[in-house]
Amino acid sequence: MAEIRAKGIIIKQSDYGEGHRMLSIFTEEYGIIKAVSYGATKTRSKSAASSQFLCYADFDLYKANNRDIMTVNAIDTLDGFYPACEDIKKLSLAVYLCDITYSILGTNNPDARMLHILLNCIYALAYKDEPPEKIKAVYELKMMCVGGYMPELTACASCGKSDIFAFDILKGGMVCHDCGGKYLVKMDKTLYKALEYITAAEDKKMLAFNASDELLKRLNSLTEQYVSLQLDTRFQSLDYYKTMLEM
Ligand SMILES: [Zn+2]
């Protein structure tokens, strides 16, 4: 039995039993952990307001030796990122970004860099005047890079030749005319430059570039297919986000 304190952000929540809530918390110290917040859905509970999606806080947790799931004792909220929670489009995008994170990292696997990239993007979504589509594409690509799926941009991802002409989503990068497969994305200078910038930029500066709506559209199409094909996952939260965009 142990009591621990961890700083983190709630990336998933679901109802659990009578009036309780199951949380997935991405913590700096322990990676993504699961914890139950007892009584969290009862309005008079102290932890109700804090046991919310995207709540960034210091968590007091209790871990029994024989259980993977912890118990939340107290939550000391640092930021609720409320503007991102109160806008249904932003909220649905945040759900998708958290789903990608979960899919790449799994549970109990600390990764401070991934956590900070997530926090930067959620912060930008809540407080900065950045287009959500830009945050989405940058997050998709940056997380893939950090998670071990860095696309090959300077030579053919298949044979290594330098005569590259298009991006092959399945082969994981630029390809030559001989190696291009079924999942090709046409490339031009602006799209290539955006890919180059995001993959190479320092995490803090990953959003610091200008992009037209047209470029963001093409960039998003590439990055979301890249995530889905490389991780071999169809994210329902992405479909949901897209239906929100059409409203
Ligand atoms: Zn090739």
Side-chain angles (χ1 to χ4, degrees):
M1 290 183 281
E3 280 181 33
I4 60 172
R5 191 169 173 85
K7 198 186 284 295
I9 180 168
I10 297 175
I11 62 166
K12 213 183 244 185
Q13 64 173 51
S14 54
D15 289 342
Y16 180 73
E18 193 88 347
H20 315 308
R21 198 167 270 162
M22 178 67 78
L23 307 174
S24 296
I25 311 168
F26 190 176
T27 67
E28 180 120 24
E29 298 86 345
Y30 306 95
I32 298 171
I33 53 150
K34 286 186 182 259
V36 182
S37 181
Y38 286 100
T41 60
K42 293 177 183 139
T43 45
R44 274 196 287 169
S45 148
K46 230 168 83 182
S47 54
S50 320
S51 298
Q52 300 279 357
F53 182 60
L54 296 187
C55 172
Y56 178 57
D58 283 316
F59 293 87
D60 283 331
L61 303 157
Y62 173 82
K63 182 172 166 52
N65 278 337
N66 54 348
R67 290 198 72 198
D68 272 346
I69 298 169
M70 302 191 199
T71 302
V72 176
N73 280 342
I75 303 176
D76 207 346
T77 303
L78 303 166
D79 197 331
F81 298 113
Y82 300 114
C85 298
E86 287 158 1
D87 177 321
I88 184 70
K89 287 177 191 170
K90 289 182 175 182
L91 180 65
S92 60
L93 176 56
V95 172
Y96 168 58
L97 300 186
C98 288
D99 277 358
I100 298 176
T101 318
Y102 202 101
S103 177
I104 293 178
L105 193 60
T107 52
N108 305 318
N109 189 13
D111 194 314
R113 189 176 170 201
M114 276 194 190
L115 176 60
H116 290 139
I117 292 172
L118 176 66
L119 288 170
N120 282 351
C121 282
I122 299 296
Y123 182 90
L125 199 57
Y127 304 119
K128 298 262 180 155
D129 198 18
E130 295 281 9
E133 285 293 278
K134 183 178 175 189
I135 295 171
K136 169 177 168 291
V138 168
Y139 191 77
E140 286 172 328
L141 188 53
K142 203 67 179 172
M143 279 312 250
M144 291 302 279
C145 292
V146 176
Y149 301 88
M150 171 85 89
E152 172 62 62
L153 294 180
T154 54
C156 175
S158 211
C159 74
K161 271 197 284 191
S162 58
D163 179 24
I164 47 179
F165 84 109
F167 192 97
D168 191 308
I169 307 268
L170 194 60
K171 291 184 174 158
M174 298 296 295
V175 286
C176 72
H177 283 276
D178 295 332
C179 299
K182 229 168 56 168
Y183 297 92
L184 285 186
V185 175
K186 265 203 240 159
M187 194 51 59
D188 63 33
K189 226 175 178 174
T190 48
L191 183 56
Y192 186 80
K193 281 224 153 73
L195 294 178
E196 220 176 20
Y197 180 82
I198 298 163
T199 51
E202 274 178 53
D203 298 345
K204 266 193 249 169
K205 294 182 181 158
M206 63 191 174
L207 290 164
F209 63 99
N210 291 317
S212 66
D213 289 349
E214 194 265 334
L215 173 60
L216 284 183
K217 210 171 162 187
R218 289 192 298 139
L219 184 60
N220 267 278
S221 162
L222 188 155
T223 53
E224 77 186 29
Q225 287 183 75
Y226 189 63
V227 168
S228 162
L229 263 178
Q230 293 288 328
L231 299 180
D232 198 17
T233 306
R234 189 187 166 104
F235 291 94
Q236 285 180 349
S237 49
L238 174 62
D239 297 338
Y240 186 72
Y241 167 65
K242 286 181 166 178
T243 61
M244 287 298 118
L245 283 185
E246 283 158 15
M247 286 173 73

